Amino acid sequence: MFNVCKHRSSHSTTMAVLESVEKYSWGMKAVIVLVAFAMSYGQFWLVIQLYHENPLALCLAMLKGIPKKTELMSVFENCSKPLIYLFEKMVDLTKCMLDFEILPVQYTGIDYEATALMKTQIHLSSYWVMRSAVACTSQITSTIYEHINPVSSVWELWSLAHRISYIHYHLKKEFDSFKLKIEKKIKVNLIHLLGEVHDDNQKVLSSLFALKKDFPLKSGLSKDKVGVDVLINKEVILFISRPNISLEKLLFILQQLQYDSRHENRAYDIVWVPIAKAIAWSHSEKKAFSSLLELWPWYLLYEPTALSLSVIEFIKDVWQFHGDPVMVVLDFKGKVTSLNAIDMISIWRDLAYPFSVAREKELWVEQSWTMELLIDNIYPLIMYWMDQRKIICLHGSSNINWIRELTKKMKAITNASVQVELIYVGCKDMEITKDILSTIISENLSNYLPLLKIYFFWTRLECMKRSKLRLGYETEDDTFLNELSSLLSTSSADKGWLLVGAAKSKDILRLTGNQCLELLSLFDVWGEYANKFGILGAMRQALAPPIQAGCGNFAIIPHVEEITEDACVCKICNALMEKYIMYQCTSV
């Protein structure tokens, strides 16, 4: 560039540079020229600083024909302030051009004249960035080789800086106005598209990830850029969260939807759409996201920070994203079938497919309150015990003394060869649970779930409760919801609780506080019935109110015509007798 600038005018040199980068967009043209200028200027500045004391720098100066003059350092220092200011303005202008080039104009239908006007201004802006770089180079080389007065060079640089600043101000103003029109169009288009019937999901996804790029997504495994066409004919789950979502929450989602690369033809895929609190991502959000995305095997946005503000606004206003993770489900035609399937996925995993509200209702109709549902596949060892037909006893408390008493009494039962397994599952407060867990481990009190698995356990319970409430179930009328609410209440953790049940049995006994300890203390009394009624039946017998001896109570019910046999005649008056059935208490 230096040699070209010596013998041509700034305009002709700029046009020559334009020809050499003609295959690139106007924004990228400016970027290439800025990089070339920065490298050239930086190299000269480094050589001039060091060539009096560094042999290598001196050799480079001789190769480039730089005269060995002490005043060159002061000349460069005088030029550096306007040069740096000019370079900053050129960078700002280039950024504005690049921002325009990624606008999704193709999805908005903005009128041709407005777009053409913006493109004209972009072309002029790119030209002036390149011309300024050429002029800067020309001023530097003239000062070094032709001994031009440095004052005129400084004046020329300040003049260029003000021109570029003026161009940037007006371009930014026009760009902001143009972008606002685009954003409004995107939101309107999205609402309109989601209300229509489509042949596939491509239009909806293209508008949703509205970027002027053919590959807006990235594969979590291969890290390759991909287009929305990889999602055609599939259910698409949009996992929307903060970029700094907690590691525990992300791991829970990954466990519930375990990725298997062998199942490339699966009927659904997931796209992670991270949305920050503010428009600009904070440093902590960027850092957290970069570490978390290494764990993510599905698809995600290639440039999440470039997501349209209108799309973000739409997700917040229409899909009700307020910070907590949600999973919006689109069917293979792009229709929203669930605004948040995260609860049903957390409960039933793949069984919840196709992840619609209708499917969620079906699953609750089929579902019963069982130990198998509560544990799911969170801890394989418990599932193994269930397969061995052992009675599972889950317990939780924030009171370590209650836990000590419980485990002491349960050991007396297990010593009597009763096939039960006692497992500590903590409470909702993870800090308290962490302290309790360390005591249980150190004192070898009982089996326990690892801390992360305890988090998974309580997260699933909360998901179950939310799901039930969202579908309109009432705590008073629904046994399942009533039991969940009791477990999730703070008072249960304070008192301590014990759940006793088998794998698929609907018979689960919940005991709390002193009631639980008192019942277990009476094992010598009711334990003898365990072989006859099972441990659950024996416990229920012990909890039942005492029977009054010889009550002699009886109940008589009228006959049913269909089961009437031969007529019966009264032995006293010979009249026909009506048939009744009598039940009488046999207690003595």
Side-chain angles (χ1 to χ4, degrees), residues 14-208:
T14 303
M15 296 308 293
V17 171
L18 269 172
E19 285 181 15
S20 66
V21 292
E22 63 180 348
K23 67 177 182 179
Y24 299 99
S25 69
W26 287 90
M28 285 307 299
K29 285 178 171 64
V31 170
I32 292 167
V33 170
L34 282 177
V35 170
F37 169 69
M39 289 178 66
S40 299
Y41 171 71
Q43 189 183 64
F44 265 78
W45 179 240
L46 193 60
V47 168
I48 290 171
Q49 278 184 313
L50 300 176
Y51 78 150
H52 288 291
E53 56 191 45
N54 187 296
L56 178 61
L58 179 60
C59 291
L60 287 172
M62 293 174 66
L63 285 171
K64 292 180 178 293
I66 299 174
K68 192 176 180 182
K69 294 181 179 179
T70 54
E71 61 267 21
L72 272 181
M73 177 65 77
S74 61
V75 170
F76 259 74
E77 285 176 350
N78 290 333
C79 291
S80 65
K81 188 173 180 180
L83 192 60
I84 291 170
Y85 180 75
L86 171 59
F87 193 79
E88 287 175 351
K89 294 303 173 184
M90 290 161 69
V91 169
D92 290 341
L93 185 55
T94 303
K95 284 180 179 178
C96 193
M97 288 186 275
L98 294 174
D99 286 341
F100 170 77
E101 288 180 353
I102 65 171
L103 284 178
V105 180
Q106 71 272 36
Y107 300 121
T108 57
I110 293 292
D111 62 279
Y112 174 78
E113 288 186 7
T115 305
L117 180 62
M118 275 302 302
K119 285 183 177 180
T120 300
Q121 294 189 56
I122 293 295
H123 299 166
L124 288 171
S125 299
S126 184
Y127 168 83
W128 275 105
V129 167
M130 285 183 274
R131 179 159 175 171
S132 298
V134 168
C136 287
T137 304
S138 177
Q139 290 298 324
I140 293 169
T141 53
S142 297
T143 303
I144 294 173
Y145 297 109
E146 300 174 14
H147 313 296
I148 301 296
N149 188 344
V151 175
S152 63
S153 296
V154 170
W155 176 256
E156 176 71 17
L157 292 174
W158 278 118
S159 176
L160 279 170
H162 287 298
R163 177 185 284 273
I164 294 296
S165 181
Y166 176 81
I167 293 172
H168 174 249
Y169 171 79
H170 285 282
L171 181 65
K172 185 73 166 63
K173 188 176 178 181
E174 291 297 321
F175 171 76
D176 289 343
S177 175
F178 186 80
K179 185 179 179 182
L180 186 61
K181 292 178 184 177
I182 294 275
E183 296 290 352
K184 286 180 179 178
K185 282 273 190 177
I186 289 172
K187 189 172 182 180
V188 170
N189 282 1
L190 264 179
I191 294 171
H192 183 66
L193 278 171
L194 287 167
E196 294 180 332
V197 178
H198 305 281
D199 294 330
D200 55 43
N201 56 17
Q202 296 297 285
K203 269 191 178 181
V204 171
L205 293 174
S206 295
S207 296
L208 196 60

Side-chain angles (χ1 to χ4, degrees), residues 513-552:
N514 290 331
Q515 174 206 29
C516 175
L517 299 180
E518 289 168 4
L519 177 65
L520 297 180
S521 298
L522 296 172
F523 176 69
D524 291 339
V525 177
W526 55 264
E528 60 184 282
Y529 298 105
N531 289 333
K532 182 178 179 181
F533 301 109
I535 189 168
L536 267 172
M539 283 181 168
R540 290 196 185 280
Q541 287 278 351
L543 290 170
I547 298 170
Q548 296 179 7
C551 68

Side-chain angles (χ1 to χ4, degrees), residues 288-301:
F289 180 67
S290 64
S291 61
L292 292 173
L293 63 84
E294 295 300 321
L295 302 172
W296 186 255
W298 307 82
Y299 295 113
L300 67 154
L301 294 188

Side-chain angles (χ1 to χ4, degrees), residues 207-481:
S207 296
L208 196 60
F209 307 133
L211 297 171
K212 194 175 181 180
K213 295 184 177 180
D214 295 328
F215 307 105
L217 305 178
K218 176 169 70 172
S219 168
L221 282 182
S222 67
K223 310 303 179 189
D224 294 335
K225 291 182 181 181
V226 294
V228 295
D229 57 314
V230 298
L231 303 172
I232 196 167
N233 296 326
K234 288 188 176 185
E235 302 274 338
V236 177
I237 302 173
L238 302 175
F239 176 56
I240 306 167
S241 75
R242 294 289 185 220
N244 55 347
I245 181 177
S246 73
L247 177 62
E248 293 81 5
K249 286 183 179 179
L250 186 63
L251 288 175
F252 177 65
I253 294 298
L254 293 176
Q255 170 169 296
Q256 297 308 96
L257 284 173
Q258 292 177 3
Y259 182 88
D260 190 342
S261 58
R262 294 170 297 178
H263 296 164
E264 294 183 357
N265 295 322
R266 58 185 167 268
Y268 68 90
D269 257 313
I270 308 175
V271 179
W272 187 4
V273 184
I275 295 177
K277 283 185 178 180
I279 295 174
W281 285 32
S282 66
H283 175 71
S284 62
E285 285 175 325
K286 290 178 181 177
K287 185 177 179 181
F289 180 67
S290 64
S291 61
L292 292 173
L293 63 84
E294 295 300 321
L295 302 172
W296 186 255
W298 307 82
Y299 295 113
L300 67 154
L301 294 188
Y302 187 77
E303 288 186 68
T305 55
L307 189 64
S308 165
L309 293 179
S310 290
V311 173
I312 293 173
E313 185 182 329
F314 174 86
I315 289 172
K316 289 179 178 179
D317 295 345
V318 180
W319 289 350
Q320 298 295 299
F321 171 71
H322 302 301
D324 290 331
V326 299
M327 284 183 156
V328 178
V329 181
L330 305 175
D331 68 11
F332 67 95
K333 289 189 175 183
K335 179 184 176 183
V336 175
T337 56
S338 176
L339 284 174
N340 193 2
I342 197 165
D343 291 333
M344 66 185 304
I345 288 171
S346 300
I347 301 165
W348 293 290
R349 299 198 276 181
D350 281 355
L351 189 62
Y353 178 81
F355 314 111
S356 62
V357 175
R359 178 58 179 155
E360 190 174 12
K361 290 177 179 177
E362 286 175 12
L363 287 167
W364 277 125
V365 170
E366 300 166 3
Q367 194 61 68
S368 300
W369 177 249
T370 64
M371 195 66 73
E372 188 177 51
L373 173 68
L374 292 179
I375 295 298
D376 188 45
N377 200 29
I378 287 176
Y379 201 52
L381 183 57
I382 300 179
M383 301 304 290
Y384 171 77
W385 287 331
M386 287 181 180
D387 292 340
Q388 298 298 308
R389 303 199 174 195
K390 289 187 176 183
I391 296 296
I392 302 300
C393 298
L394 305 180
H395 72 100
S397 177
S398 56
N399 184 340
I400 189 60
N401 291 323
W402 185 89
I403 292 172
R404 287 189 179 108
E405 283 294 312
L406 172 71
T407 54
K408 180 181 177 181
K409 297 181 188 305
M410 283 299 297
K411 281 176 182 177
I413 296 175
T414 55
N415 289 338
S417 299
V418 179
Q419 295 292 303
V420 297
E421 293 291 347
L422 181 66
I423 305 109
Y424 176 69
V425 295
C427 61
K428 284 198 301 181
D429 191 321
M430 289 296 114
E431 289 301 317
I432 293 175
T433 296
K434 187 176 180 180
D435 294 336
I436 296 284
L437 190 59
S438 63
T439 304
I440 289 174
I441 294 170
S442 63
E443 297 181 16
N444 195 26
L445 295 177
S446 71
N447 297 307
Y448 55 87
L449 290 182
L451 190 62
L452 183 62
K453 301 294 185 176
I454 289 175
Y455 173 82
F456 291 176
F457 175 81
W458 288 100
T459 300
R460 282 189 75 249
L461 292 189
E462 289 175 334
C463 289
M464 290 179 196
K465 183 178 179 180
R466 278 198 307 267
S467 175
K468 279 269 185 181
L469 291 174
R470 188 174 58 252
L471 294 177
Y473 288 89
E474 299 287 343
T475 306
E476 297 78 14
D477 304 324
D478 189 80
T479 305
F480 199 120
L481 186 55

